[in-house]
Amino acid sequence: MTESWASNERSRAVMRGNRSRDTKPELAIRSQLHRDGFRFRVNRRPVPEIQRSADIIFPRERVAVFVDGCFWHGCQHHYVAAKANSDYWSKKIEGNVHRDRATNDALNVRGWEVLRIWEHEDPERAARRIEMAVRAMRPDHTRRGKASVRPPAH
Ligand SMILES: [Zn+2]
């Protein structure tokens, strides 16, 4: 990959608001979820007033999944600082990381479970993690879960 190609990709991603849709890892995770019988929506805002689309959402269970690109979201293992305009890029990525956290918090306070998956993660393992979170958010599970935390009502 040449430097100019990379910066081209970056500028295009900036115009799209950093979030590229239907990336390979996303598709792999989605087909695994499908195979396991899970139904979901893609590229949707979990909450209308929060201007952030999640890559995969389970509206009934209130689980939002973001598949984060290693470059854009500052993955500890794969984020490599750009050589050209490094100041611009490090601020940009830092801003993304802050915004991710703010999004998580905003969704959490509205009762949503947020899962962040790195694009480098194994899709099958990621799908299992998502499935566990979805099951944990199902009403019957919640009742059982609460019973183990709280003492019986009587
Ligand atoms: Zn990574």
Side-chain angles (χ1 to χ4, degrees):
M1 178 199 305
T2 66
E3 191 59 45
S4 68
W5 184 87
S7 46
N8 251 333
E9 280 303 290
R10 280 168 194 155
S11 350
R12 245 185 287 159
V14 167
M15 288 186 291
R16 284 193 306 247
N18 293 345
R19 194 150 271 285
S20 43
R21 292 182 166 185
D22 306 331
T23 60
K24 234 172 127 188
E26 267 176 67
L27 294 175
I29 292 168
R30 271 150 55 177
S31 34
Q32 183 63 47
L33 291 170
H34 255 289
R35 273 197 295 277
D36 296 338
F38 283 76
R39 295 298 173 258
F40 47 85
R41 290 164 180 272
V42 299
N43 304 325
R44 298 286 168 99
R45 280 185 198 172
V47 177
E49 71 266 25
I50 299 172
Q51 315 264 313
R52 302 289 295 151
S53 287
D55 297 306
I56 302 169
I57 70 168
F58 296 82
R60 200 165 57 92
E61 290 89 353
R62 293 195 186 185
V63 174
V65 180
F66 295 85
V67 181
D68 292 337
C70 293
F71 176 79
W72 287 109
H73 299 267
C75 161
Q76 306 256 338
H77 306 288
H78 304 109
Y79 172 67
V80 181
K83 283 185 197 120
N85 303 319
S86 61
D87 247 30
Y88 169 80
W89 286 110
S90 60
K91 282 203 188 86
K92 177 98 204 147
I93 302 305
E94 212 176 285
N96 287 349
V97 173
H98 280 289
R99 194 178 52 180
D100 290 343
R101 286 199 198 118
T103 303
N104 293 354
D105 291 347
L107 289 172
N108 285 157
V109 300
R110 286 165 177 82
W112 281 72
E113 179 76 15
V114 180
L115 288 183
R116 296 236 164 225
I117 311 275
W118 287 111
E119 66 173 348
H120 70 245
E121 281 183 51
D122 175 68
E124 273 181 45
R125 292 236 296 266
R128 271 200 295 277
R129 194 143 72 83
I130 295 165
E131 290 166 11
M132 272 171 61
V134 170
R135 285 199 194 95
M137 291 291 277
R138 287 187 175 152
D140 55 325
H141 192 100
T142 308
R143 245 182 282 126
R144 275 203 304 274
K146 276 185 182 156
S148 65
V149 179
R150 292 176 185 174
H154 48 85

